[in-house]
Amino acid sequence: MASELIESLQINCYIMNKIKEPLSVDRMPGAPLIITKYSSSFWKVTLDNPPINLMGPDMVAGLQRLMDEIETNNELKVIVFDSANEDYFVSHFDVLRGAELPQVSGKLGVTQWIDVSNRLHNAGVISIAVIRGRVRGIGSEFILACDMRFASKEKAIFGHLEVGMGLLPGGGAAEYLPLLSGYARAMEIAVSSDDFSAEIAEKYGWINRAFPDEELDAYVGNLATRISGFELAALQATKSTMLKRAGGGPNPFEIQESSNKFFELFQRPAAQKLFAKLMDMGFQTESDTETRLGHFLGTLAEDK
Amino acid sequence: MASELIESLQINCYIMNKIKEPLSVDRMPGAPLIITKYSSSFWKVTLDNPPINLMGPDMVAGLQRLMDEIETNNELKVIVFDSANEDYFVSHFDVLRGAELPQVSGKLGVTQWIDVSNRLHNAGVISIAVIRGRVRGIGSEFILACDMRFASKEKAIFGHLEVGMGLLPGGGAAEYLPLLSGYARAMEIAVSSDDFSAEIAEKYGWINRAFPDEELDAYVGNLATRISGFELAALQATKSTMLKRAGGGPNPFEIQESSNKFFELFQRPAAQKLFAKLMDMGFQTESDTETRLGHFLGTLAEDK
Amino acid sequence: MASELIESLQINCYIMNKIKEPLSVDRMPGAPLIITKYSSSFWKVTLDNPPINLMGPDMVAGLQRLMDEIETNNELKVIVFDSANEDYFVSHFDVLRGAELPQVSGKLGVTQWIDVSNRLHNAGVISIAVIRGRVRGIGSEFILACDMRFASKEKAIFGHLEVGMGLLPGGGAAEYLPLLSGYARAMEIAVSSDDFSAEIAEKYGWINRAFPDEELDAYVGNLATRISGFELAALQATKSTMLKRAGGGPNPFEIQESSNKFFELFQRPAAQKLFAKLMDMGFQTESDTETRLGHFLGTLAEDK
C-alpha cells in the first residue's frame, strides 16, 4: 500500500537523521518553561509547571517573553511545544491566580493571554504542539493557536471544562475551534464539557492527527527537522498567504469579547458555588477530580 | 488506550444515572409529534407520521408550535429529536401536500419551513438529532438545523433525492451542508442523489458521529443529561458566541432564494414527468422504491 | 450493516449497467489529452504526457481549448479526468518550460493556468478527478479545481513540493486547500513538502474519498453515469447555488497574487540553486527522485 510506503519512509528518515544533541537546554528565568535549542532554526519549548501543569500568570508571562524573542529572531523557523508531564500537557487555567494576569498587555489593548496566543498564531515561525496527557480549557486554546497539533493515541485527553463550571470557553476556543471542526462538533465539545480521546480529536479536526505514542516523536521530529532545513522566505510566504486567505485567522478583539463574557459569568454566585464545590473535590491539585474531570463535571451537574 | 477509558466512562456514567421515568408523554394535538418531558430542562420530541414519516404540513405546523413554546420557555435547556419508526427518521417532504404549506409565516416573511428551521438553529436551547432509518431531503435539512446529530451505524441511511427528481436541495442543505462537509463532499451528496451510510455521513461531517446502534442512546442520553444539569446562562452564552463567530449561521433569505428555485424547477414538465414516474413506482408509500430510493433514482435516469 | 448494503448496491448498479463502448476516443491535436466520449453528456479526459505526466504548456493550452468547448456545449453534464500513467496523475509543473506559458490569457487578465482552473471550477458541468499515481504541485491544484476527487488507496500519492524548493504553493492550493482541510492541515501539507497517502488525503478532506483500487472505477463510473442521466437544469442550479453559498469559490485574483509571489521567489539565487541540485538528481525525469520526491526534498534540506 502507498500509505505504508510513505509512513515507513517518514519514520525511517527520522531514525536515519535523528536529531543530534541539542545546543542548549535552559529554563527560562522565572517561568515554568524549558527551552531546548537544537539549532538556530529549531527550538523546543517544554511546559513544566508541576504537579499538573496549570496555566498560570508565570507561564503566560513566560510565553509572552518568548514571543518577544521570537519576533526579533531572524533565524528561527520552527518551534515545537510539549509538556514535561505525560499526564498533563496543560490541565487548565489557574483560576485562583486569574486576578494576577495583566488586563491590558501588548500593542492591541487586549489581555495578556490574548496578546500571547494571537502573536503565536501570526508569528513568522511555524509552531507545532505535541500533546501527551490532559489538555483542557486554556490548554486547548494554546494548542489551537499553534499552526499544527499532533497527539498521542494512548496518552492525550482533550476537554473544555468551562460550561460545566457555569462559564463559556472564552480564551479563543469559540473562535478557533469551529474553523477546524465545524459548528456542530465545536458545540458538542463545548456544551458537553466532557473528555474526548485523541481519535475523536483527530476525527473532529481538533488536532491534525493522532499517532501511536511510540510513533509520535518520530513523526514530529521528522516534520520539524524538514521545516528547519527549508528556506525561511518560503515558509513565511506560505504561512502569511494561508493566513491571509483564511481571513487573517481569528480576530483578537472577538476573543477579547468572549473573554469578557467568561469573567462576567464567573462573577455570578452560581458559578462561584460550582467553583467552591470543585475546589472541595480537589480541583487544581493532583487528584482524581483532575484525572477524570469530564466525568466529575457531569456528576456535579446531577447534584444540583 | 485513553479512548477506551473515556468511552467506557461515558457509557457507564449513563448506565449508573439512567434517565428516570419521564414526567409526561403527550402527543401534540393535530400534529404527528410525541413530546416526552424528562424534566423541565430536558425534552424529547419523537417524529411519528406512519407509515414512512413523511414531512408534511401537519409536522411542519407542529414543529412551528413547538418553536413558539420553546421560545417562551425559560427552563428548557436541551431537546432531543428522534423518530418512532426505526426505518424512517423522515423519508422526505410530502410532495403531494406542498401547496398546503403557508408561503409566508413568522416574522421574517419566509415560508413556514424556513421559519421553523431557522428558529430551531437560533433557539436558546441545545438541539440534538438521533437518527435511525432513512433521512432524506427535508429530513436531512431538519437534522442540519439542529445543533448536533448522531446516528446508528446499522440503521441510518442519508440522502438528497432532489437532483434525481430534476430539482435542487432547496430547504437549507445548500446552505448548511457545505459548512460542515466542504464544497466537494456537499456536491457529491447533492448531485449523486444517492444513499449514504452513517459511516460516510460521519466522515463527511454530515453528522457529528456514528455509533453502533446499541451505544447510540447511551451516548446521547449521557450527553443530554449532562447538558440539562449545566447552567442555562453558560449554555446560551456558548451557543450564541459560537453562532456569532460562524457568521450567525445560514441566512434564511438565502434559503428562501434556494427554495424559490426548487418550486420553479418543480413546475417544469420534465420534473412533473419524473415525479409521475416515481409515483407509479410507489414513491411516498411503504415500498421498495422508498427503501432503496437512491438506487431507483439512478435507474430512473437510465430510462430517459 | 447499512453501509455494506449501500456500497454493494452502488457497485452492483455499476456492474449491471456497465458503461457501453464509447462513441469516440480522440487525442486532442497538439495536446497530451485523450478525449473519450461515452455519450453527449458524459466525457472522460485522460492526461497523457509521458514519461511522468508533467503539466507543461501543451497540457495547459489543451485544457484551455477544452474549456472553450465545454462552455459552448449545452449537452455535456459530467467530465471525468484521469491519467494514462498509473504512477503519475501529474508529477508537477514543467519548470523548464514555465516561460512559455502566456502571462495574460482569457477574459480576467490572469495567467493561462489560473484562467483554466478558475473556468473549470465555475463551469456548468460537474467535474470529477480520479487519481492513481503521484499528484504534486500544480497537479494537486488541478484536482482541487474539480468539483470532486476520488483516489486509489494503493496507487495515489499526494504532495506539495513548492516549499522544499524555496517557493510557495502558488497555483491555487493556498486558496482551495484550506477550505477543504482547514488551516492547520493545509499548513502541514504545504510546509512539510512531504508525500501523503490517499488515506491521509481523505482524512484531511484533500479528496472526497479513497477507495481500494479495484473499486475506484466502479464507484466513479456509477456516479458519473447517474449524473449524466439527471437533468442539466437540476445539476446547474445545484452547482451554482452551492458555489454562490461558498462565496463563489476561490478568487482568481488572489490566486494571481500567490502566483506572482511564486515566480518572485523562484528568481532568487537560493531557489535557483535548489532547482539546479534537484535537476542534477534527476528531477523532471523518470527517476527515483520523482518516485520519492517528498523524501528527497527532505534530504536536500539537510545538505544545506
Side-chain angles (χ1 to χ4, degrees):
Chain A
M1 301 286 280
S3 60
E4 285 157 23
L5 173 72
I6 292 166
E7 279 146 34
S8 129
L9 263 176
Q10 290 171 343
I11 303 297
N12 286 334
C13 171
Y14 171 75
I15 290 165
M16 286 187 303
N17 304 292
K18 211 165 162 58
I19 299 165
K20 287 150 206 84
E21 288 301 298
L23 304 177
S24 64
V25 182
D26 295 296
R27 178 167 282 267
M28 184 186 274
L33 302 174
I34 301 163
I35 302 181
T36 304
K37 301 188 178 178
Y38 292 105
S39 70
S40 61
S41 54
F42 175 11
W43 296 1
K44 186 174 75 172
V45 174
T46 303
L47 310 179
D48 182 28
N49 191 23
I52 60 165
N53 253 343
L54 281 165
M55 175 80 81
D58 301 337
M59 196 183 281
V60 178
L63 289 170
Q64 194 179 44
R65 291 202 299 278
L66 179 70
M67 289 314 307
D68 292 340
E69 203 173 334
I70 287 174
E71 288 173 358
T72 53
N73 182 317
N74 294 315
E75 291 182 60
L76 188 63
K77 296 176 187 171
V78 59
I79 187 159
V80 170
F81 292 98
D82 67 0
S83 65
N85 185 336
E86 293 216 331
D87 293 324
Y88 292 94
F89 182 89
V90 165
S91 51
H92 49 75
F93 182 54
D94 185 345
V95 187
L96 290 176
R97 296 184 62 193
E100 292 175 44
L101 281 170
Q103 286 307 299
V104 177
S105 180
K107 295 173 186 164
L108 297 176
V110 293
T111 58
Q112 192 176 36
W113 167 248
I114 299 171
D115 179 66
V116 166
S117 54
N118 181 57
R119 284 163 69 188
L120 176 61
H121 196 61
N122 287 277
V125 302
I126 309 301
S127 52
I128 306 174
V130 180
I131 303 128
R132 289 186 169 87
R134 288 144 192 88
V135 60
R136 297 191 183 110
I138 201 172
S140 163
E141 289 162 334
F142 173 67
I143 62 170
L144 285 166
C146 291
D147 291 316
M148 301 171 229
R149 290 155 289 288
F150 302 93
S152 161
K153 283 191 186 180
E154 292 90 337
K155 296 182 180 162
I157 293 177
F158 298 77
H160 270 283
L161 65 168
E162 294 90 347
V163 169
M165 293 180 65
L167 313 169
L168 87 166
E175 290 72 24
Y176 281 91
L177 194 51
L179 297 177
L180 294 164
S181 71
Y183 169 79
R185 287 166 170 175
M187 279 293 286
E188 180 189 354
I189 291 163
V191 301
S192 74
S193 273
D194 213 341
D195 288 333
F196 291 85
S197 67
E199 283 95 335
I200 302 296
E202 174 186 286
K203 202 175 268 188
Y204 283 16
W206 202 342
I207 57 173
N208 286 44
R209 238 185 302 168
F211 284 93
D213 195 71
E214 62 178 14
E215 293 177 21
L216 177 61
D217 292 329
Y219 185 77
V220 176
N222 178 44
L223 175 60
T225 305
R226 290 173 71 88
I227 293 171
S228 73
F230 293 149
E231 275 203 83
L232 188 60
L235 295 166
Q236 292 188 337
T238 299
K239 178 166 174 175
S240 65
T241 303
M242 290 259 188
L243 262 182
K244 197 172 167 186
R245 298 305 176 240
N251 182 332
F253 303 108
E254 290 187 344
I255 301 177
Q256 183 66 63
E257 186 184 50
S258 302
S259 179
N260 294 345
K261 186 75 186 169
F262 174 97
F263 286 106
E264 181 192 320
L265 288 172
F266 187 58
Q267 304 307 319
R268 295 171 314 122
Q272 290 296 321
K273 199 175 140 193
L274 282 168
F275 178 52
K277 265 199 198 179
L278 272 174
M279 290 301 291
D280 285 346
M281 290 162 68
F283 188 61
Q284 304 232 135
T285 68
E286 211 168 1
S287 62
D288 196 33
T289 294
E290 287 285 351
T291 309
R292 299 188 287 147
L293 184 58
H295 170 72
F296 285 108
L297 288 170
T299 63
L300 202 66
E302 283 154 25
D303 287 350
K304 290 214 294 197
Chain B
M1 300 286 279
S3 61
E4 285 157 23
L5 173 72
I6 292 167
E7 279 147 33
S8 128
L9 264 176
Q10 290 171 343
I11 303 299
N12 286 334
C13 170
Y14 171 75
I15 289 166
M16 288 187 303
N17 304 292
K18 211 167 162 57
I19 298 165
K20 288 148 203 84
E21 288 301 298
L23 304 177
S24 65
V25 183
D26 295 296
R27 178 167 282 268
M28 183 186 274
L33 303 174
I34 301 164
I35 302 180
T36 303
K37 300 187 179 177
Y38 292 104
S39 70
S40 62
S41 55
F42 176 9
W43 297 1
K44 185 174 76 173
V45 175
T46 303
L47 311 179
D48 182 28
N49 191 24
I52 60 166
N53 253 344
L54 281 165
M55 175 79 80
D58 301 337
M59 196 183 282
V60 178
L63 289 170
Q64 194 179 43
R65 291 202 298 278
L66 179 71
M67 288 315 307
D68 293 340
E69 205 174 333
I70 287 174
E71 288 172 358
T72 54
N73 182 317
N74 294 315
E75 291 183 60
L76 188 63
K77 295 175 188 170
V78 59
I79 187 158
V80 170
F81 292 97
D82 68 358
S83 66
N85 185 336
E86 293 215 331
D87 293 324
Y88 292 94
F89 182 90
V90 165
S91 51
H92 48 75
F93 182 55
D94 185 346
V95 187
L96 290 175
R97 297 184 62 192
E100 292 174 44
L101 282 171
Q103 286 306 298
V104 177
S105 179
K107 295 173 187 164
L108 296 177
V110 293
T111 58
Q112 192 175 37
W113 167 249
I114 299 170
D115 179 66
V116 167
S117 54
N118 181 56
R119 285 163 67 187
L120 175 60
H121 196 62
N122 287 278
V125 302
I126 309 300
S127 52
I128 306 174
V130 180
I131 302 129
R132 288 185 169 86
R134 288 147 191 85
V135 60
R136 297 191 184 110
I138 200 171
S140 162
E141 288 162 335
F142 174 67
I143 62 171
L144 286 167
C146 291
D147 291 317
M148 300 170 229
R149 291 155 289 288
F150 301 93
S152 161
K153 282 191 187 180
E154 293 89 337
K155 295 183 181 162
I157 293 177
F158 299 77
H160 271 283
L161 65 168
E162 294 89 347
V163 168
M165 295 179 64
L167 314 169
L168 88 166
E175 289 73 22
Y176 281 91
L177 194 51
L179 297 177
L180 294 164
S181 70
Y183 168 78
R185 288 167 170 173
M187 279 293 285
E188 180 189 354
I189 291 163
V191 302
S192 73
S193 273
D194 213 340
D195 289 333
F196 291 85
S197 68
E199 282 96 336
I200 303 295
E202 175 186 286
K203 203 175 268 190
Y204 283 16
W206 202 343
I207 57 173
N208 286 43
R209 239 184 304 169
F211 284 94
D213 195 71
E214 62 178 14
E215 293 177 19
L216 178 61
D217 292 330
Y219 185 78
V220 176
N222 177 44
L223 175 59
T225 304
R226 289 174 72 87
I227 294 171
S228 73
F230 293 149
E231 275 203 82
L232 189 59
L235 295 166
Q236 291 187 337
T238 300
K239 178 166 173 176
S240 65
T241 303
M242 291 260 190
L243 262 182
K244 198 173 167 187
R245 299 303 176 241
N251 182 331
F253 303 108
E254 289 188 343
I255 302 177
Q256 184 66 63
E257 186 185 51
S258 301
S259 180
N260 294 345
K261 186 75 187 171
F262 175 96
F263 286 106
E264 181 191 319
L265 288 172
F266 188 57
Q267 304 306 319
R268 297 170 312 122
Q272 290 296 321
K273 201 174 138 192
L274 282 169
F275 179 52
K277 266 198 197 179
L278 271 175
M279 290 303 290
D280 285 346
M281 290 161 67
F283 188 61
Q284 303 229 136
T285 69
E286 211 168 359
S287 63
D288 196 33
T289 295
E290 287 285 353
T291 308
R292 298 188 288 147
L293 186 57
H295 170 72
F296 285 109
L297 288 170
T299 62
L300 203 66
E302 285 155 23
D303 286 350
K304 291 214 294 197
Chain C
M1 300 287 278
S3 60
E4 285 158 22
L5 173 72
I6 291 167
E7 279 146 34
S8 127
L9 263 175
Q10 290 172 342
I11 304 297
N12 286 334
C13 171
Y14 171 75
I15 290 165
M16 287 188 303
N17 304 291
K18 209 164 164 55
I19 299 165
K20 287 149 206 83
E21 289 300 298
L23 303 176
S24 64
V25 182
D26 295 296
R27 180 168 281 267
M28 184 186 274
L33 302 174
I34 302 163
I35 302 181
T36 303
K37 301 187 177 177
Y38 292 105
S39 70
S40 61
S41 55
F42 176 10
W43 296 0
K44 187 175 75 174
V45 175
T46 303
L47 310 178
D48 183 28
N49 191 23
I52 59 165
N53 254 343
L54 281 166
M55 175 80 80
D58 300 337
M59 196 183 280
V60 178
L63 289 170
Q64 194 179 44
R65 291 203 298 279
L66 179 71
M67 288 316 307
D68 292 340
E69 203 173 333
I70 287 173
E71 288 173 356
T72 54
N73 181 317
N74 294 315
E75 292 182 60
L76 188 63
K77 295 174 188 170
V78 59
I79 187 158
V80 170
F81 291 97
D82 67 0
S83 66
N85 184 336
E86 294 215 332
D87 293 324
Y88 292 94
F89 182 90
V90 165
S91 51
H92 50 74
F93 182 54
D94 185 345
V95 187
L96 289 176
R97 297 183 63 192
E100 292 175 45
L101 281 171
Q103 286 306 299
V104 177
S105 180
K107 295 172 187 165
L108 297 176
V110 293
T111 58
Q112 192 175 36
W113 166 248
I114 299 171
D115 179 67
V116 166
S117 55
N118 181 56
R119 284 163 69 187
L120 175 62
H121 196 62
N122 287 277
V125 302
I126 309 300
S127 52
I128 306 174
V130 180
I131 303 129
R132 288 187 170 86
R134 287 146 192 87
V135 61
R136 297 192 184 110
I138 200 171
S140 163
E141 289 163 334
F142 174 68
I143 62 171
L144 285 166
C146 291
D147 292 316
M148 299 170 231
R149 290 155 291 288
F150 302 93
S152 161
K153 282 190 187 180
E154 292 90 338
K155 296 182 181 163
I157 292 177
F158 299 77
H160 270 283
L161 64 167
E162 294 90 346
V163 169
M165 294 178 65
L167 314 169
L168 87 167
E175 289 72 23
Y176 280 92
L177 194 51
L179 297 177
L180 295 164
S181 70
Y183 168 79
R185 288 166 169 173
M187 280 293 286
E188 180 189 354
I189 291 163
V191 301
S192 74
S193 272
D194 212 340
D195 289 332
F196 292 85
S197 67
E199 282 96 336
I200 303 296
E202 174 185 286
K203 202 174 269 189
Y204 283 15
W206 202 343
I207 57 172
N208 286 44
R209 237 185 303 169
F211 284 94
D213 195 71
E214 62 178 14
E215 293 177 21
L216 177 61
D217 292 329
Y219 185 77
V220 176
N222 177 45
L223 174 59
T225 304
R226 290 174 71 88
I227 294 171
S228 73
F230 293 149
E231 275 202 82
L232 188 60
L235 295 166
Q236 291 187 338
T238 299
K239 178 167 173 176
S240 64
T241 303
M242 291 260 190
L243 262 182
K244 198 173 166 186
R245 299 303 176 242
N251 182 331
F253 303 108
E254 289 187 343
I255 302 177
Q256 183 66 63
E257 186 184 51
S258 302
S259 180
N260 294 346
K261 187 73 186 172
F262 174 96
F263 286 106
E264 182 191 319
L265 288 172
F266 187 58
Q267 303 307 320
R268 295 171 313 122
Q272 291 296 320
K273 200 175 140 194
L274 282 169
F275 178 53
K277 266 198 197 178
L278 272 175
M279 291 302 292
D280 285 345
M281 290 162 66
F283 188 61
Q284 303 232 134
T285 69
E286 211 167 0
S287 63
D288 195 33
T289 295
E290 287 285 352
T291 308
R292 298 188 288 148
L293 185 58
H295 170 71
F296 285 108
L297 288 170
T299 62
L300 203 65
E302 285 155 25
D303 287 351
K304 291 214 293 196

